[in-house]
């Protein structure tokens, strides 16, 4: 079962605005319209020294769908005429800041006495991604892999360091949730999906990441790199320079706005012909201000496949990678033959239905630097010992905790 089959888009702009206002209130944000999640910067060669200078955690970059999870409540009458009861409700928030209702999902407090589970977390915001693990025997399981905790029961944790936030997550969210499912295993089968924490390692544990963890997850739900997150910094909405996204150099991508220009009159959209230009535009953040940075290269066969996806193409958001043409021959979008001699060109990877805007120009610039720097897996492995030595040296200088 796909994730789209188990979550439901919140109906009506007015209701969605109410939820956006509630989340903005919990996060003390003046503008409720913007997605409040943190966004990484692309890994450049200079960041290798950053990993030596500060403590970072690392996890694999899952090929899933990014969501914030909002735990709230609603007043529901169990039967007509009965007084309303406070019922927990869970929503997912995508990068378009759209809300999706998740049925039958609950996160209980650890009660005293144990195994009572009468109270559930509300006014709580988690950060994570939805994935579908596929097993060799044909089974599949949808999971929400959580990697951060912003607010718990109305208490804002974003000013606390990552290690403290993860401590709250494991003690007050994950452990009671696991205990509840253990005591009431029938609940597991009625849940829309299961919650798991994302496996996190110290930044110097790169051999473990590359040789053990990534090969395992690639078989389940795919992987396209690593995420390094600084242990000692606060949660920063928007671009966070202390979250580093590393991808193999050949897999660095940019999300563009695709604007198609046709050979005839501007209003004549003739999808049966190759367009005159597949323009790629980057976002500047000022009143939807975009600038053109290049063209998407497609062959005639690829153009036919794009059309066959039966998705809107004009002004869509497309994820692209930069290809070194080498000695490849082909056809440009206007049908002219080109002979590649080491030049680079943007190529289509996928359509980003989960995004309203292209990458910001600053993100575009950082990805270009990542491509130019060409930091490989072996480069990271070569520095793992130095990262570990620097971490241990900082540990030795820290005051010991009182016994």
């Amino acid at each position: 079962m796909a994730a789209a089959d188990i979550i439901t888009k919140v109906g009506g702009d007015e209701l969605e605005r109410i939820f956006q206002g509630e989340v903005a209130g919990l996060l003390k944000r003046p503008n409720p319209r913007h997605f409040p999640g943190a966004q990484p910067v692309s890994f450049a060669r200079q960041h290798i020294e950053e990993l030596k200078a500060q403590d970072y955690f690392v996890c694999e970059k899952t090929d899933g769908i990014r969501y914030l999870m909002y735990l709230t409540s609603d007043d529901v009458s169990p039967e007509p005429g009965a007084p309303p009861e406070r019922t927990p409700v869970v929503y997912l928030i995508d990068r378009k800041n759209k809300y999706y209702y998740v049925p039958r999902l609950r996160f209980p407090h650890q009660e005293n006495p144990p195994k009572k589970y009468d109270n559930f977390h509300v006014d709580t915001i988690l950060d994570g991604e939805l994935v579908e693990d596929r097993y060799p025997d044909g089974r599949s399981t949808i999971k929400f892999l959580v990697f951060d905790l912003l607010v718990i029961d109305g208490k804002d944790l974003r000013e606390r360091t990552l290690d403290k936030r993860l401590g709250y997550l494991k003690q007050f969210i994950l452990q009671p949730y696991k205990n509840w499912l253990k005591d009431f295993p029938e609940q597991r089968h009625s849940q829309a999906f299961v919650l798991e924490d994302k496996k996190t390692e110290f930044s110097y544990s790169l051999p473990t990441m590359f040789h053990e963890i990534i090969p395992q997850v690639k078989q389940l739900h795919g992987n396209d790199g690593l995420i390094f997150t600084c242990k000692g910094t606060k949660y920063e909405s928007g671009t966070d320079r202390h979250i580093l996204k590393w991808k193999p150099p050949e897999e660095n991508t940019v999300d563009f706005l695709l604007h198609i220009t046709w050979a005839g009159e501007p209003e004549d959209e003739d999808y049966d012909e190759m367009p005159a230009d597949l323009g790629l535009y980057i976002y500047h953040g000022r009143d939807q201000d975009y600038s053109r940075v290049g063209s998407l290269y497609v062959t005639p066969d690829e153009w036919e496949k794009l059309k066959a996806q039966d998705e809107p193409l004009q002004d869509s958001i497309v994820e692209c990678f930069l290809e070194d043409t080498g000695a490849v021959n082909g056809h440009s979008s206007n049908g002219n033959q080109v002979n590649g001699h080491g030049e680079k060109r943007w190529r289509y990877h996928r359509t980003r239905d989960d995004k309203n805007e292209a990458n910001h120009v600053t993100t575009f610039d950082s990805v270009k630097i990542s491509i130019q720097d060409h930091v490989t897996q072996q480069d990271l492995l070569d520095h793992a010992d130095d990262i570990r030595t620097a971490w241990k040296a900082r540990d030795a200088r820290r005051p010991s905790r009182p016994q």
Side-chain angles (χ1 to χ4, degrees):
M1 178 183 292
D5 297 328
I6 59 174
I7 61 177
T8 305
K9 176 74 173 63
V10 169
D13 293 341
E14 183 177 352
L15 183 58
E16 194 161 62
R17 281 194 294 268
I18 291 173
F19 294 145
Q20 290 170 350
E22 291 174 356
V23 169
L26 286 171
L27 298 174
K28 305 175 184 66
R29 289 175 59 82
N31 191 339
R33 294 177 299 171
H34 294 162
F35 177 69
Q39 303 288 356
V41 298
S42 293
F43 198 98
R45 192 161 294 276
Q46 68 189 41
H47 291 127
I48 294 177
E49 297 307 313
E50 174 74 7
L51 296 182
K52 298 176 187 178
Q54 296 196 67
D55 296 347
Y56 273 76
F57 291 151
V58 62
C59 62
E60 60 93 11
K61 185 178 180 298
T62 304
D63 190 14
I65 304 175
R66 168 81 178 284
Y67 290 103
L68 295 181
M69 180 182 285
Y70 174 38
L71 314 184
T72 183
S73 63
D74 197 5
D75 292 333
V76 177
S77 295
E79 57 186 45
E85 298 178 355
R86 199 181 192 203
T87 302
V89 184
V90 176
Y91 297 98
L92 294 181
I93 310 168
D94 70 11
R95 280 190 283 199
K96 291 183 178 180
N97 212 24
K98 300 297 183 182
Y99 283 63
Y100 300 82
Y101 169 67
V102 183
R104 305 180 304 277
L105 194 58
R106 302 291 183 266
F107 296 98
H109 286 271
Q110 185 70 60
E111 299 289 352
N112 187 16
K115 301 187 179 182
K116 191 175 180 184
Y117 306 115
D118 283 343
N119 297 316
F120 295 82
H121 290 288
V122 296
D123 296 334
T124 297
I125 302 174
L126 312 173
D127 200 350
E129 52 199 336
L130 204 61
V131 303
E132 184 174 7
D133 283 356
R134 297 180 179 273
Y135 302 97
D137 61 3
R139 293 180 302 113
S140 66
T141 302
I142 298 176
K143 298 178 180 179
F144 187 80
L145 302 180
V146 58
F147 48 73
D148 215 327
L149 176 61
L150 285 64
V151 181
I152 182 168
D153 299 318
K155 182 177 184 178
D156 192 345
L157 302 179
R158 290 173 301 152
E159 293 293 325
R160 299 178 183 244
T161 57
L162 176 62
D163 57 330
K164 302 298 184 186
R165 300 196 305 269
L166 292 179
Y168 269 85
L169 172 66
K170 292 179 180 180
Q171 180 177 352
F172 298 110
I173 301 288
L174 290 172
Q175 195 56 56
Y177 170 76
K178 292 176 181 178
N179 292 342
W180 181 52
L181 292 182
K182 181 180 179 181
D183 294 335
F184 299 95
E186 68 277 7
Q187 293 290 341
R188 180 180 295 273
H189 302 293
S190 66
Q191 300 265 301
F193 48 77
V194 296
L195 190 82
E196 290 184 1
D197 59 331
K198 199 164 189 180
K199 187 169 180 57
T200 301
E201 301 282 349
F202 297 139
S203 57
Y204 54 79
S205 301
L206 290 165
T208 300
M209 294 301 303
F210 283 123
H211 302 320
E212 298 179 24
I213 295 176
I214 288 180
Q216 292 173 4
V217 300
K218 275 188 173 181
Q219 297 177 5
L220 295 175
H221 53 245
N223 166 271
D224 57 358
L226 299 173
I227 295 289
F228 296 91
T229 306
C230 189
K231 171 187 172 184
T233 55
K234 66 180 182 178
Y235 188 97
E236 191 77 44
S237 296
T239 302
D240 187 341
R241 64 184 183 88
H242 292 108
I243 305 178
L244 313 175
K245 175 181 66 177
W246 176 86
K247 287 186 174 184
E250 65 277 8
E251 294 182 18
N252 275 296
T253 59
V254 178
D255 298 330
F256 295 106
L257 183 143
L258 174 66
H259 187 78
I260 304 172
T261 303
W262 308 93
E265 295 295 326
E267 63 273 11
D268 294 338
E269 296 187 357
D270 186 2
Y271 282 88
D272 291 332
E273 299 294 332
M274 288 287 290
D277 180 61
L278 296 167
L280 299 176
Y281 292 76
I282 210 70
Y283 184 55
H284 288 263
R286 300 185 301 273
D287 300 323
Q288 304 293 318
D289 184 19
Y290 280 84
S291 65
R292 178 189 165 89
V293 295
S295 294
L296 176 65
Y297 174 90
V298 297
T299 65
D301 286 345
E302 289 167 345
W303 173 244
E304 293 301 318
K305 290 178 181 178
L306 273 175
K307 293 189 299 182
Q309 292 180 5
D310 198 25
E311 295 177 342
L313 292 177
Q314 184 67 291
D315 296 333
S316 61
I317 306 299
V318 292
E319 183 178 351
C320 302
F321 63 95
L322 198 59
E323 177 188 65
D324 191 333
T325 62
V328 175
N329 295 328
H331 289 80
S332 64
S333 59
N334 60 12
N336 296 326
Q337 188 169 357
V338 295
N339 295 311
H341 297 288
E343 295 184 355
K344 296 182 182 295
R345 58 194 178 192
W346 291 106
R347 303 282 273 144
Y348 176 85
H349 176 55
R350 60 174 172 167
T351 301
R352 296 302 304 265
D353 294 327
D354 60 326
K355 301 187 71 173
N356 280 327
E357 286 125 11
N359 283 147
H360 192 270
V361 62
T362 54
T363 301
F364 174 60
D365 290 340
S366 70
V367 173
K368 287 195 299 183
I369 292 173
S370 292
I371 293 172
Q372 293 165 2
D373 283 355
H374 201 79
V375 179
T376 66
Q377 172 179 320
Q378 191 58 50
D379 290 329
L380 292 176
L381 289 171
D382 289 344
H383 288 274
D385 286 344
D386 291 340
I387 295 170
R388 183 182 188 279
T389 298
W391 183 306
K392 296 301 181 182
R394 286 190 296 274
D395 270 348
R397 295 193 297 268
R398 293 184 181 115
S400 58
R401 294 182 179 180
Q403 299 297 319

